[in-house]
Amino acid sequence: ILSFAIPVTLSAIGLAGWWLGGIAMQPIRQSYDQLQRFTADASHELRTPMATILSNAQVGLLSECNPQQRLRLENIVDDVKLMSTLVSHLLFLARYQGQVLETLRPVDLGELVAELVEDYAMRPIASHVHLSYLLPESAIKIQADAELLATAIANLLSNACKYTPPQGQVELKLYTELTDVVVQVSDTGIGIAAQDLPHIFERFYRVDPERSPSTGGFGLGLAIAKQIVESHQGKIQASSTVGVGSTFQIFLPLAYRS
Ligand code: ADP
């Protein structure tokens, strides 16, 4: 009897737990969805007035004004540009949260990486470091949203450049490992302390902004990269040693290979 009664009781408890859990989760899920929708709508609505403020300030700068007025207008332009970047980041995060992308196309990752690095090498942000890339002999194609994936990799590249002192090395490497293709960005920069490492992918998390005030940033770049990678069914991880450098890896399932 026991051998029958125990599994039946356990299954009943399990079923009840699952059912109650489902009911308990429902309001949380609903408020979460509402919050996400609110962020998306609010960000979207803010775009138009911000564009108006920006163009008015820019037109003001073209007209006759004294140095003090000019300085005020320049400050407005700078602040509104920063706000627009923040708003588009928030809109992006709200839009793609928890979504698996459906608009995937075959993407040659080697080509994407090479183009990105060559483009970055020309930018002032990378002018102080030695930037290089390493590709596998044969092409790797996966199903992806090329633009989004490029954004994720670019966020890692720009961080690697921002947090690496002059004459440092930044390397982007593409290789396959078991069932994944790996995009790895490593640098010889300032590194990230062990206590900060678990938090860097959280939204608005910045490691000691005092340490690197000149780098600006909102602490959203890695959260965006993580969301993009997860929407491709992938994983992102980081390892680092303070004063030695950091390595970020994006793992994308090769099952997505075209
Ligand atoms: P931010 O806009 O501040 O760069 P991110 O989300 O891109 O925001 O990064 C979060 C924090 O992680 C950064 O503030 C920085 O302290 C740390 N970080 C990210 N990448 C690196 C790196 N390659 N080297 C050192 N620190 C890094």
Side-chain angles (χ1 to χ4, degrees), residues 176-221:
T176 53
E177 191 179 271
L178 301 173
T179 55
D180 291 317
V181 50
V182 187
V183 185
Q184 176 176 296
V185 179
S186 49
D187 64 62
T188 57
I190 57 175
I192 303 161
Q195 76 264 18
D196 293 310
L197 215 46
H199 303 291
I200 54 171
F201 293 101
E202 290 167 13
R203 293 173 186 189
F204 295 110
Y205 191 87
R206 301 201 68 216
V207 178
D208 185 10
E210 299 303 316
R211 191 178 62 162
S212 49
S214 60
T215 59
F218 298 108
L220 287 175

